[in-house]
Amino acid sequence: MSASEIQTLCVTGAGQMGSQIAMLGALAGIETRLHDISPEQLETAVATNRKHIQRRVDKGKMTDDEMAGAFERLTATSDLTAAATGADFVIEAVVERLDVKRAVFEELDRATPEHAILATNSSYLMSSEIASATQRPDRVCNMHFFFPPLVMKLVEVVKGEATSESTAEAAMTLARRMGRHPVLLHKELPGFLVNRILRAIVNEAYHLLDSGVASFEDIDNACRLGLNHPLGPFQLSDFSGLDIGYNARQEIFARTGRPEDAPPRALAVRVERGDLGRKTGRGFYDYSSEPPTSTED
Ligand SMILES: NC(=O)c1ccc[n+]([C@@H]2O[C@H](COP(=O)([O-])OP(=O)(O)OC[C@H]3O[C@@H](n4cnc5c(N)ncnc54)[C@H](O)[C@@H]3O)[C@@H](O)[C@H]2O)c1
């Protein structure tokens, strides 16, 4: 299967990531089916996409007809078998839990045609851990988009232990068709490229915070003004969702058992309170007013 032959794309998980990845597919001219277990989430996903794309039309970057065409190609369903049947390529973007992802892949393996490629958008799980739930490990890979996918150009395509050259190539070409810039990792390792580099920075930021060296606000200021980063590490964590970083750290901690891999206290207290960052209106910062204000533990 080469990416130019991909006519039908299935995206499962219609949250922050999957909703926009599906939109990229529809904008690229591909028949795209968006799936989620929650019908309400599907409604929100399509409505939010409409707002984003309407803005492009309002700015003259796209015509009304182009927008209408893209939304004709985008269908939403809470029936995974219906979404996956006949799909040439699937991108999975469900919650970051290995057991859930393996169950979804098992079902995808049953429902998709034999030639279909199954990619996971997981941030930290490697495709080999998921591929063994299928009968086609050579057609499974990581395809890691960045938030928000409609804006962020990078996609990390990662070959797992059994991923074939042609699978990786198809994922690279699909990403390019979606107007993204893919990079290829020839071997898998947790965190891929960007998150490994980011984790080194964020871990140091939490270490400095937990050691009482500086406030999180000043650590953010230091990174923005001294390194020219557009957002500091705590602002970025709020933007991505604190639960994403927390769950990833829990997964790593469960594997290694090393205390330094456990979620830092400042992160854990917020996640336990349900303060998950921008999406809940509060994380390290409170977003109920502009500019956002810093919060206490
Ligand atoms: N948020 C980010 O910055 C980011 C960036 C890159 C990759 N990712 C990865 O993308 C994936 C999704 O992250 P998100 O931020 O969109 O999460 P999210 O919580 O916004 O969305 C997850 C969606 O999955 C749905 N879901 C749960 N179980 C399901 C199932 N069995 N079948 C179908 N849908 C199911 C939920 O209803 C929800 O709508 C995760 O693997 C995450 O690691 C996230």
Side-chain angles (χ1 to χ4, degrees), residues 113-125:
E114 211 185 317
H115 70 262
I117 291 172
L118 312 180
T120 174
N121 180 50
S122 171
S123 299
Y124 289 93
L125 300 166

Side-chain angles (χ1 to χ4, degrees), residues 16 54 60 69 152 155 167 230 271 283:
Q16 298 195 90
Q54 186 60 51
M152 298 291 279
V155 176
T167 295
V271 171

Side-chain angles (χ1 to χ4, degrees), residues 220 224 230-240 278 285 287:
D220 277 346
R224 282 191 304 108
L231 296 175
F234 299 99
Q235 291 170 314
L236 185 62
S237 301
D238 269 3
F239 190 64
S240 309
R278 271 187 183 269
Y285 296 87
Y287 297 91

Side-chain angles (χ1 to χ4, degrees), residues 24-44:
L24 286 174
L27 288 169
I30 304 167
E31 289 298 329
T32 303
R33 300 158 182 171
L34 178 58
H35 165 263
D36 200 286
I37 43 170
S38 155
E40 296 78 34
Q41 185 57 35
L42 285 168
E43 265 180 45
T44 306

